[in-house]
Every structure is written in structure tokens, then in C-alpha cells.
Amino acid sequence: MKKPNVIQTILSVAACKLTRGILRHTGRGGTAVPGIVAMKLAGNILSAVTDGMQIVVVTGTNGKTTTCNMIEHACTSAGCNCLLNKSGANLLHGIAADLISNATWLGKPKYPYAVLECDEAALKQFVSYVTPKAIVVTNLFSDQVDRYGGVENTLKEIRTGVEKSPASVLVLNAEEPLSASLALNVPNKTVWYGLDRGVGTRGKVDLSDAGVCPVCGGEYAYDFHIYAHLGGYRCTKCGYHRPEPDVCVTSIDQMTSQGTRIHLRADGKEQEAQIALPAVYNVYNAAAAVAAAKAMEVSVVKAIDSLASVRSSFGRLETFDLKGNRLQMILVKNPAGCNQAFSYLTSLDEDFTAVLCLNNRTGDGHDFSWINDTNYEMLCSDPHVKKIYVGGDRAQDLFARLQRAGASEEIMELFTDYQALVRLLEKESRPIYALPNYTSMMELRQALMQATGTKDFWE
Ligand SMILES: [Zn+2]
């Protein structure tokens, strides 16, 4: 596609900045409109505003936002000025809006580096305009089935994107067989990240997303498991197997609600590292970030060091101070993510209060039957759960699911008003863990921000 001329570029950039300014002024954050307007005025404005930029795109089911956050922090720590699409608008026009409004009026990029969270289906559109230096895929799990028609379809969408971008380095999870298969039959270089066989976890084994061998259609056998369908898979027919990770977590030494201490091997050297976030899935996100640094040719040593000071983002183990008591929020939107959150909570040796919220609006996916595939039994059988608040549009369904999982009615309480809930929580003395899905998180977060006087990220 032809590059836009100077007039088109200036008009397009100005229109983007202006619409974005107006929308923000009226209290609306991440949105696609400025990107749509800009791309209408100059079809290929994206290639102009990213000219010479080193871009890493992060896609996959779970962990995109945290991984992006970690990569941005790694780049910044290594002295590379890096743009991050913080607004969470991860479809083509939302990404475009972030890139264009962070260019000069003449359409030149202000940042030499960018880390972009990208929706799985939007990747193939984005790479039509821009060739990323690296494409990171976190993992693939069943998610929002009514949107894409299953995890196999999502894999196909990503594969189309990868095939359009042969010069990008792939950064792939060695233990997740679906996304690992993206390295087959493409010329792209690959950096693998993963956990060593010795790193056992208490995560639930669930092979429903594992699929079959992409080479011969054979069944997988596992030499070791991490959680869900992640582990040391190998095809029983043709021998296709998990690749050896280039960035490998060799042990998880200690985990508390404040963070995780690990050993990690990268570039042939093993070293200790601290991750300022808890939970095993964040160990994967950290390994992905270090692997991305390697793919971007940013200092791997600095990337590892930076994990100790990475901060949580929007709803991902975000912590609120409720009159001296700690509330940690974990966004959950599918069985795999929710089970991992339960696995984290039950690994902590302390009494706690849980807040579970479930909506099924457009932003969540209307089909909420995923709660039937989620291991609420793990949460309900933990003697440390002393209270469970249940809310959201589907509170009754979630309440019934928790009853089936064995939660006693004495510890459960339904709520409808988020502000009233926060007032109740302020009287608690136990740590609180809130597990909302997307749109219920927005409501809960709003009430928490009002109560604690926290400001939103774009303010
Ligand atoms: Zn096979």
C-alpha cells in the first residue's frame, strides 16, 4: 500500500489527536473512533507512524496485558523509550489510535519501541500494515466461544497473521501445544519460553484444549504437567514434542501474595530472579517478557532484573487499600484463568474473603456456561475461605454453581450494589480477593476508586 503524502498525513494525525482529545474530555477512554477517522483520511497512516519503530505485538488468550506491562518495563529499564497501548483497546483501530496519537504532527514516531496488546483476530489485520520485530503468543484456552467459534478457530486467526509476517521473530510458550504449533511450516525465527519439568504446581490438569498432534493427528502423552493442557507433551505416533525453552524457569523457590522468587536460565546462564507479582501464570508471563526482550535484542539481564519492580496493571492483581485492609483484584474470564486464580488463592496460607462477580454482557461474551467447566470446588474446599460475596447480573447462577461446588450457605452472601459492598468490605479484617469478569470488574473498580480516591489510568 502506498505511503500517504504530507497533507494526508498531517490531516490524518490531526484528526486522530483531535477526536481522541474530545472523547477523553467527555470521559471516554480507550476507543476505536480516532483510529477509524485517521485511517479513513489516510489508508496507510499506520506504516508512516511506525516507520523505523521496533514493535512487539502480544496476543493469546490469557496474560496479554500483564506480559505487555512486563515487556514495557523491561524496555524502559534497559533505556529504550517504549510506547505501550495502555487503554486496553486491542483491536486494529484502537491500536492505530494509540500509535497515531503518539506520533508527531508530521507523522513521525516519537518512541523508538512499542509494545502492543493485540486481539487474536486483529493480528492478521495489523500485520497487513506493519511488520513487528516480534510476535509473542501467551497461550490459547477456550474463551468467549460465541465470539470466535472455538479455540481451533482462534489458532487459525493467529496463524494467518504469522504467515503474513515471515520476518517477525515468534516468541512462543514451549509447553502450550496449540500456540507452539505456530512455529511449524513457517520461516520465522522462534524464541521459546517455558517452565522446566521439575516445576510442579497445584494447578488442575485439564486436557480439553490440548488438541491433537499438528503433524500427524496423533494423541499427546505428557511427561510432566504444569496446569490445564500445559506441560511436556509428546505425540505418541510421530514423536513431535515440546521444544526445549530458550528462556526457562528452572525452579519456583517461594511465592507469597507479594511476589515470587524463581530461578531462570537464559542465554545459557542460570540466575535467581524476583517477580513482583504472585501466581504461577505470572511466572509464565515473566518468562514470555524475558524471551521477548531477547527477540527484540534488548538486554536480557536488565529484563530479568526489571521483573522485581514491575507493577500490576488494571485489574490484574491490582491492589486497593481499603482502610488499611488489602483487596487484590484478579480479572477472570474463562475456566483456565479462573482455575489459575483459585490455585493461587488456595496456595496462600491465610484466611480470606472472596468476592465473585459475573456479568454476561457484550464485553464478557453472552455465554456464561464456562462457569460449569470451572473448578469452583477448589475454592470451596479451601478451609481458609471465610466469606464469599456473590454479585453481578448472573449472581443467582453463580450462587447456584457455588452451592453445587459445596460452599456452605452460611458463608455466602448475594449483593446487588457495588458501593454498599465496598462499605461492607471496609469493615473486614481479612485480606480480600475479588474475582470479577470484565464488565463487572469495571463496576467494582469504579466503586473501589470512589471509596479509595484512586484515579483512572488516563486521568
Ligand atoms: Zn504426531
Side-chain angles (χ1 to χ4, degrees), residues 212-220 234-241:
V212 291
C213 169
V215 178
C216 76
E219 297 279 320
Y220 285 128
R234 126 183 90 74
C235 172
T236 50
K237 251 165 93 184
C238 75
Y240 168 77
H241 60 87

Short mmCIF file of all heavy atoms in Angstrom, two decimals, residues 212-220 234-241, ligand 1:
data_model
loop_
_atom_site.label_atom_id
_atom_site.label_comp_id
_atom_site.label_asym_id
_atom_site.label_seq_id
_atom_site.Cartn_x
_atom_site.Cartn_y
_atom_site.Cartn_z
N VAL A 212 -4.81 -32.26 19.09
CA VAL A 212 -4.04 -33.43 18.69
C VAL A 212 -2.77 -32.96 17.99
O VAL A 212 -2.63 -31.78 17.68
CB VAL A 212 -4.85 -34.35 17.73
CG1 VAL A 212 -6.00 -35.02 18.47
CG2 VAL A 212 -5.35 -33.58 16.52
N CYS A 213 -1.86 -33.87 17.75
CA CYS A 213 -0.58 -33.54 17.11
C CYS A 213 -0.82 -32.84 15.77
O CYS A 213 -1.54 -33.36 14.91
CB CYS A 213 0.23 -34.81 16.90
SG CYS A 213 1.68 -34.58 15.85
N PRO A 214 -0.24 -31.65 15.56
CA PRO A 214 -0.47 -30.92 14.32
C PRO A 214 0.24 -31.55 13.12
O PRO A 214 -0.04 -31.22 11.98
CB PRO A 214 0.09 -29.52 14.62
CG PRO A 214 1.10 -29.73 15.69
CD PRO A 214 0.62 -30.90 16.50
N VAL A 215 1.17 -32.47 13.38
CA VAL A 215 1.92 -33.10 12.28
C VAL A 215 1.16 -34.31 11.75
O VAL A 215 0.94 -34.45 10.54
CB VAL A 215 3.33 -33.52 12.76
CG1 VAL A 215 4.10 -34.21 11.64
CG2 VAL A 215 4.10 -32.30 13.28
N CYS A 216 0.68 -35.18 12.66
CA CYS A 216 0.10 -36.46 12.20
C CYS A 216 -1.29 -36.73 12.76
O CYS A 216 -1.91 -37.72 12.41
CB CYS A 216 1.04 -37.60 12.56
SG CYS A 216 0.98 -38.04 14.31
N GLY A 217 -1.79 -35.86 13.63
CA GLY A 217 -3.12 -36.09 14.20
C GLY A 217 -3.13 -37.07 15.35
O GLY A 217 -4.20 -37.45 15.84
N GLY A 218 -1.95 -37.48 15.80
CA GLY A 218 -1.87 -38.46 16.91
C GLY A 218 -2.22 -37.83 18.25
O GLY A 218 -2.34 -36.61 18.37
N GLU A 219 -2.40 -38.70 19.24
CA GLU A 219 -2.73 -38.24 20.60
C GLU A 219 -1.46 -37.82 21.33
O GLU A 219 -0.38 -38.34 21.06
CB GLU A 219 -3.37 -39.39 21.39
CG GLU A 219 -4.67 -39.91 20.83
CD GLU A 219 -5.85 -39.04 21.24
OE1 GLU A 219 -5.86 -38.60 22.41
OE2 GLU A 219 -6.72 -38.78 20.38
N TYR A 220 -1.62 -36.90 22.27
CA TYR A 220 -0.48 -36.50 23.09
C TYR A 220 -0.37 -37.36 24.35
O TYR A 220 -1.38 -37.75 24.93
CB TYR A 220 -0.64 -35.06 23.56
CG TYR A 220 -0.40 -34.02 22.49
CD1 TYR A 220 -1.33 -33.02 22.25
CD2 TYR A 220 0.78 -34.02 21.74
CE1 TYR A 220 -1.12 -32.04 21.29
CE2 TYR A 220 0.99 -33.04 20.77
CZ TYR A 220 0.05 -32.06 20.55
OH TYR A 220 0.27 -31.11 19.60
N ARG A 234 4.07 -34.82 24.13
CA ARG A 234 4.79 -35.51 23.04
C ARG A 234 3.78 -36.38 22.31
O ARG A 234 2.87 -36.95 22.91
CB ARG A 234 5.95 -36.27 23.69
CG ARG A 234 6.12 -37.72 23.45
CD ARG A 234 7.30 -38.24 24.28
NE ARG A 234 6.87 -38.68 25.61
CZ ARG A 234 6.21 -39.81 25.83
NH1 ARG A 234 5.89 -40.60 24.84
NH2 ARG A 234 5.85 -40.16 27.06
N CYS A 235 3.91 -36.42 20.98
CA CYS A 235 2.96 -37.20 20.17
C CYS A 235 3.32 -38.68 20.28
O CYS A 235 4.48 -39.05 20.09
CB CYS A 235 3.00 -36.75 18.71
SG CYS A 235 2.06 -37.82 17.62
N THR A 236 2.32 -39.51 20.57
CA THR A 236 2.59 -40.94 20.76
C THR A 236 2.82 -41.65 19.42
O THR A 236 3.33 -42.76 19.39
CB THR A 236 1.42 -41.61 21.50
OG1 THR A 236 0.20 -41.24 20.84
CG2 THR A 236 1.36 -41.19 22.96
N LYS A 237 2.45 -40.98 18.30
CA LYS A 237 2.62 -41.64 16.99
C LYS A 237 3.90 -41.23 16.27
O LYS A 237 4.68 -42.07 15.86
CB LYS A 237 1.41 -41.31 16.09
CG LYS A 237 0.48 -42.51 15.88
CD LYS A 237 -0.85 -42.09 15.31
CE LYS A 237 -0.85 -42.18 13.79
NZ LYS A 237 -2.15 -41.67 13.27
N CYS A 238 4.13 -39.89 16.14
CA CYS A 238 5.27 -39.46 15.31
C CYS A 238 6.42 -38.87 16.13
O CYS A 238 7.48 -38.58 15.59
CB CYS A 238 4.82 -38.46 14.26
SG CYS A 238 4.50 -36.80 14.91
N GLY A 239 6.21 -38.67 17.42
CA GLY A 239 7.31 -38.19 18.24
C GLY A 239 7.45 -36.68 18.31
O GLY A 239 8.32 -36.16 19.02
N TYR A 240 6.60 -35.93 17.59
CA TYR A 240 6.60 -34.46 17.70
C TYR A 240 6.46 -34.09 19.17
O TYR A 240 5.65 -34.68 19.88
CB TYR A 240 5.42 -33.91 16.88
CG TYR A 240 5.11 -32.44 17.11
CD1 TYR A 240 5.89 -31.44 16.55
CD2 TYR A 240 4.01 -32.06 17.89
CE1 TYR A 240 5.59 -30.11 16.75
CE2 TYR A 240 3.70 -30.73 18.11
CZ TYR A 240 4.50 -29.75 17.54
OH TYR A 240 4.21 -28.44 17.75
N HIS A 241 7.27 -33.14 19.66
CA HIS A 241 7.25 -32.91 21.11
C HIS A 241 7.53 -31.47 21.48
O HIS A 241 7.93 -30.67 20.62
CB HIS A 241 8.25 -33.83 21.80
CG HIS A 241 9.67 -33.62 21.31
ND1 HIS A 241 10.50 -32.69 21.86
CD2 HIS A 241 10.35 -34.20 20.30
CE1 HIS A 241 11.66 -32.70 21.21
NE2 HIS A 241 11.60 -33.61 20.26
ZN ZN B 1 2.37 -36.73 15.61
#
